[in-house]
Amino acid sequence: MTTPATRSRENTRARLLDAAAQVFAEVGLDGASVEAVCDRAGFTRGAFYSNFESKDELFLMLAGSVAEQRVNAVRDRVDEIAADGGLAQDCDPIELVQQIMDAGSDDRLGVMLMSEIRIRALRDAQFGAAYLAQEREMVTSIATIISDIVEVSPLELRIPADAAARMLMIIWEGMTVRGAMAGHDSDRLRHSGSEELGRLVQLLLV
C-alpha cells in the first residue's frame, strides 16, 4: 500500500525531474545547476538532496525515464499490431518495423539529453559505469519485446534476442542523433532510421 509520505516523495522526485528537463532544454547539462533545478521546481536544496545524491544521479534518472518511455511506446505498439493480426504468417518484416517506429516517442530534447549524458559518461568512469548498467536494462527490455514477437509470429532470429536488441538500439540511436543534427522535428525523428532498421531486421532473420 502506498503511504502519503511515499506519494509525496514520488511527487517531489517527479517535479524535480520535470524541472531538470526544462532547465536542460534551456541551458544544457553543464548549465543545469542544482540551484536552477530547485528554483524551477519550487523546492529547496534540502528537498533535492533528500531525493538525489547529486545532479549526476538526477540526470541519469531522467535519461532512464526517456529510455523507458521509448521502450514502453514500442511495446504498446507491438501489442496493438499483434491484436490486429499484424504478426501473422505473411507479415513483412520491413513494414512491421515501420509500423513499430510510428509509435516512437523520440523528440529533439530527448536526443540531446541522451547525447550529453553519453559525453558525461565518457568523461567520468563512475558515471559511465552507471550509464552502462542502465543501458543494459534497456537492452534487456528490448530483447524481451523481440522474443515476444518471435514467439507469436513466423519470424525466426539468426542470433540471440539480446544481441539483436543491442544492434537495433545502436542503429536506432545513431539515426535519431543524425536526424536531430539535420534539424528534423519530432515527427520526422520518430521515423529516423526506420529504413535502416528494416534492412538490419532482414539480416537478423532466417
Side-chain angles (χ1 to χ4, degrees), residues 76-130:
D76 290 344
R77 182 60 178 144
V78 168
D79 288 343
E80 291 176 2
I81 293 171
D84 292 339
L87 300 180
Q89 184 70 32
D90 59 347
C91 70
D92 181 277
I94 294 182
E95 183 179 341
L96 177 61
V97 170
Q98 292 173 337
Q99 290 181 46
I100 292 172
M101 292 299 292
D102 284 344
S105 58
D106 294 294
D107 59 28
R108 187 175 180 83
L109 177 60
V111 174
M112 291 174 62
L113 172 64
M114 297 303 291
S115 295
E116 291 203 31
I117 287 288
R118 293 187 193 102
I119 292 173
R120 178 79 178 89
L122 283 169
R123 292 173 174 164
D124 185 298
Q126 184 175 357
F127 186 85

Side-chain angles (χ1 to χ4, degrees), residues 28 45 62 70 86 97 127 174 200:
R45 285 172 59 91
L62 182 59
R70 288 176 174 178
V97 170
F127 186 85
L200 178 57

